[in-house]
Amino acid sequence: MKKFVVILIVGMQLVIFNSPANAKTINEADTELCDTLKYALINSLRKPIDEAISEIYKDDKEAPGSLTWASYDTEILKIKQLYGIGGNYEITLKVYPYYGAHMSYGIDEVVVDIWGTLISYRHLKTYP
């Protein structure tokens, strides 16, 4: 009988004081990445970023042929989680193309996914 009363009391407490947990998928990273992880992620996306830079400047007659970019000078603006934990992620980067001895040429925004697919790009600025 005592067991029944204890179980009944514990059960009532669970029902009365149980607050529902509303789990929500986090869609954008809100934490800082350590530099090593950040540079590793950016370098793993080198191919689609190169493709975007090539497309952005292909019709620019002033653009030097040796235009490149550096991972340490690239910013991760946003990491967007698309399909829940473990799903696909969309990464928005700000890239600063340069030529020669790091002579800045422009600023571009590039969006890629973790599979190395170029999603979109946007030219923001060209330096004179």
Side-chain angles (χ1 to χ4, degrees), residues 52-87:
I53 299 301
S54 176
E55 284 294 314
I56 290 168
Y57 296 100
K58 73 179 180 184
D59 295 328
D60 184 349
K61 305 286 187 224
E62 305 284 320
S66 60
L67 204 57
T68 189
W69 60 278
S71 60
Y72 62 81
D73 199 26
T74 299
E75 299 174 38
I76 297 176
L77 300 178
K78 180 172 46 173
I79 299 175
K80 184 177 179 183
Q81 185 175 337
L82 300 177
Y83 308 117
I85 296 172

Side-chain angles (χ1 to χ4, degrees), residues 90-119:
E90 196 174 86
I91 303 160
T92 305
L93 304 153
K94 187 180 277 187
V95 183
Y96 300 88
Y98 68 88
Y99 62 96
H102 295 273
M103 302 291 292
S104 296
Y105 191 75
I107 302 174
D108 304 298
E109 190 175 281
V110 178
V111 181
V112 297
D113 70 11
I114 59 169
W115 306 109
T117 304
L118 177 61
I119 296 170

Side-chain angles (χ1 to χ4, degrees), residues 4-16:
F4 177 74
V5 173
V6 170
I7 292 173
L8 184 62
I9 292 172
V10 170
M12 286 176 32
Q13 287 178 345
L14 288 174
V15 171
I16 293 170

Side-chain angles (χ1 to χ4, degrees), residues 22-40:
N22 295 323
K24 181 180 173 189
T25 302
I26 299 172
N27 288 326
E28 294 182 13
D30 57 358
T31 58
E32 291 293 319
L33 297 174
C34 73
D35 286 342
T36 304
L37 181 60
K38 181 175 88 170
Y39 298 144

